[in-house]
């Protein structure tokens, strides 16, 4: 693996290798001193043109747990404000000493462009509505921890699929690992290229709930223009929001997931977000180990 840009870069055995390595790093993170010297002397740069809490912080925590040095690039206080291009920014970071670059950008394909310009590994931390591969890996690790394996799980991805890079990466990862994926959304939230996805479609969450092992909720992405597609946010919450009444229709061992950030009261009610069957914070926690695994595979052996 030279870069990690898309789930399409990984076959099942490579995904399983990363999940197995992440499981080992989970144990490292539980030690009194949660650190290994693996990437001592290497430098990781986080280059986030779009807002992030979980992805950027967990990459930085993961790099430090591997003993790498970290450079945090913030576009708003950088020479991007003077018009510097993505290419010149990337080349500058590499010349400054970055050995691995993590890119988040609103443009589809931005991380792949950076990978084409640099002679070091690049990880896609999210490019527009395209891909978010480490999110899919951390979600798969979370499900593996809960259920032992993904083979045979029935997973519904609910909500704003059309604008969701998480949905695209997760459909690919979950199905490669043997799960069945169903998309549940109002028609304006379904992607135009549905035929490209190995999924079934439904527009009734209530009807689907009893057959599911996992309800994976997506945020309504108002920043990507999703608002006008709906009659109202309140109507969306009424038809597709997961609340206590709907939870009672799920099997006793079914779980709830969300990549975050969550809109409490829209796609998930506040009490369900904090429920013991919500894995939201487990997902965040697993982000550190999964990102350690990805960086180790890209840099560790060289
Ligand atoms: N899930 C996710 O990508 O969260 P952030 O936008 O906070 O990084």
């Amino acid at each position: 693996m030279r870069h990690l840009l898309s789930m399409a870069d990984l076959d099942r055995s490579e995904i399983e290798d990363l999940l197995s390595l992440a499981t080992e790093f989970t144990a490292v993170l539980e030690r009194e001193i949660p650190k290994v010297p693996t990437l001592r002397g290497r430098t990781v740069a986080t280059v986030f043109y779009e807002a992030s809490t979980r992805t950027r912080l967990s990459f930085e925590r993961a790099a430090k747990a591997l003993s790498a040095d970290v450079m945090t690039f913030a576009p708003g206080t950088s020479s991007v404000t003077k018009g510097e291009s993505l290419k010149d920014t990337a080349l500058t970071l590499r010349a400054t000493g970055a050995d691995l670059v993590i890119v988040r950008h609103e443009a589809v394909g931005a991380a792949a462009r950076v990978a084409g310009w640099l002679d070091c590994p690049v990880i896609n931390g999210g490019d527009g509505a395209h891909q978010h591969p480490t999110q899919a890996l951390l979600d798969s690790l979370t499900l593996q921890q809960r259920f032992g394996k993904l083979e045979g799980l029935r997973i519904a991805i609910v909500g704003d699929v059309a604008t969701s890079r998480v949905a695209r990466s997760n459909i690919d990862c979950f199905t490669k690992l043997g799960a069945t994926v169903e998309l549940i959304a109002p028609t304006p939230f379904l992607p135009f290229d549905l035929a490209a996805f190995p999924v079934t479609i439904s527009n009734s969450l209530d009807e689907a709930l009893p057959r599911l092992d996992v309800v994976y909720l997506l945020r309504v992405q108002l920043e990507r223009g999703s608002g006008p597609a709906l009659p109202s946010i309140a109507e969306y919450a009424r038809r597709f929001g997961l609340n206590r009444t709907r939870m009672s229709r799920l099997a006793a061992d079914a779980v709830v997931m969300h990549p975050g950030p969550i809109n409490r009261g829209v796609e998930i009610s506040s009490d369900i977000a904090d429920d013991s069957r919500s894995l939201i914070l487990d997902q965040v926690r697993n982000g550190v180990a999964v990102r350690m695994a990805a960086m180790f595979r890209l840099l560790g052996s060289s």
Side-chain angles (χ1 to χ4, degrees), residues 58-191:
S58 61
F59 264 116
E60 294 183 358
R61 168 94 207 281
K64 289 172 187 171
L66 292 167
S67 301
D69 294 314
V70 175
M71 295 197 294
T72 305
F73 172 79
T77 54
S78 76
S79 288
V80 170
T81 60
K82 304 172 199 164
E84 190 161 39
S85 68
L86 177 61
K87 178 173 183 175
D88 288 324
T89 301
L91 292 171
T92 300
L93 281 159
R94 177 71 177 127
T96 312
D99 297 303
L100 185 154
V101 176
I102 297 135
V103 181
R104 171 171 287 193
H105 201 286
E106 63 274 15
V108 169
R113 293 300 299 267
V114 172
W117 294 321
L118 299 186
D119 61 350
C120 71
V122 173
I123 299 179
N124 183 2
D127 61 329
H130 181 223
Q131 282 285 312
H132 194 351
T134 56
Q135 180 73 44
L137 292 168
L138 73 88
D139 289 334
S140 298
L141 180 64
T142 306
L143 286 172
Q144 190 177 282
Q145 286 168 350
R146 175 56 69 119
F147 292 101
K149 59 182 181 177
L150 275 75
E151 190 78 51
L153 286 183
R154 290 154 302 178
I155 303 173
I157 298 180
V158 183
D160 191 359
V161 179
T163 66
S164 176
R165 56 194 174 212
V166 172
R168 281 169 180 73
S169 289
N170 282 16
I171 291 167
D172 194 351
C173 194
F174 292 164
T175 55
K176 277 176 179 162
L177 293 173
T180 303
V181 177
E182 178 171 347
L183 303 182
I184 303 176
T187 305
F189 276 3
L190 289 171

Side-chain angles (χ1 to χ4, degrees), residues 234-248:
E235 167 68 4
Y236 177 80
R238 195 180 64 73
R239 281 190 59 205
F240 293 96
L242 189 61
N243 53 29
R244 183 63 60 195
T245 308
R246 289 203 165 106
M247 274 295 272
S248 68

